[in-house]
Amino acid sequence: MLLTVATFRPEARPASNAATARHITQRPPVEVTLPWKTPDGPPVTATLLFYSCERRALNRNYSNTHLWKPALVAAAVLPDCLPEERFKYASVLLEGGENIRALSEYLGHSDPGFTLRTYTHLMPNSQDRARKAIDAAFGPAAEGDGDDGAVPIAV
């Protein structure tokens, strides 16, 4: 993921309030070098005012997990949903036959491919689905019809 960063120079931009000034004092800006505009673009060094605990550029996952989600939960905008609850929700829907596109929408994923890659191991066994489809179309094998479940072999 590419980050677009704005250069921050404390000497060029005065702090807008006491909280910002306190933040800059406690966590001074750090310089990072990132590719610019494209993944293989020229490296550009920028000064970041906000960064991770490891003093690296913030990415979407870090920001969502460690900054936005706790703030939204504290403000009672979002429920405090544990990842295990999302996993259980996804597994129940997939076991019940829900399709990946719908599950992706329910979970708030913008890409059904991401949902498929994340939850594919929960998909019901395709052999079981095929067997159930055939049984539904033709009915289950009757007792004593000579079908012992063995696969016929051509000789």
Side-chain angles (χ1 to χ4, degrees), residues 83-104:
E84 296 84 16
E85 292 169 341
R86 286 177 61 87
F87 188 84
K88 175 73 173 172
Y89 177 74
S91 65
V92 166
L93 289 179
L94 288 172
E95 186 64 35
E98 189 59 84
N99 68 61
I100 285 291
R101 182 173 296 280
L103 179 62
S104 176

Side-chain angles (χ1 to χ4, degrees), residues 5 10 12 22 52 61 85 102 126 142 146 154:
V5 294
R22 206 169 33 255
S52 72
N61 292 333
E85 292 169 341
S126 63

Side-chain angles (χ1 to χ4, degrees), residues 23-110:
H23 173 81
I24 292 171
T25 303
Q26 293 171 353
R27 293 189 68 162
V30 297
E31 286 190 352
V32 296
T33 302
L34 301 167
W36 194 250
K37 295 188 181 183
T38 62
D40 60 345
V44 173
T45 301
T47 306
L48 300 180
L49 179 58
F50 299 102
Y51 45 86
S52 72
C53 294
E54 297 82 23
R55 300 179 64 81
R56 303 177 92 186
L58 294 176
N59 67 35
R60 178 181 61 210
N61 292 333
Y62 183 93
S63 297
N64 287 344
T65 304
H66 300 290
L67 303 174
W68 284 112
K69 175 92 187 287
L72 293 172
V73 169
V77 174
L78 284 180
D80 191 12
C81 180
L82 299 172
E84 296 84 16
E85 292 169 341
R86 286 177 61 87
F87 188 84
K88 175 73 173 172
Y89 177 74
S91 65
V92 166
L93 289 179
L94 288 172
E95 186 64 35
E98 189 59 84
N99 68 61
I100 285 291
R101 182 173 296 280
L103 179 62
S104 176
E105 183 179 325
Y106 302 154
L107 293 173
H109 297 164
S110 60

Side-chain angles (χ1 to χ4, degrees), residues 94 100 114-124:
L94 288 172
I100 285 291
F114 172 80
T115 308
L116 180 62
R117 289 187 301 276
T118 303
Y119 296 105
T120 191
H121 64 285
L122 297 176
M123 299 290 291

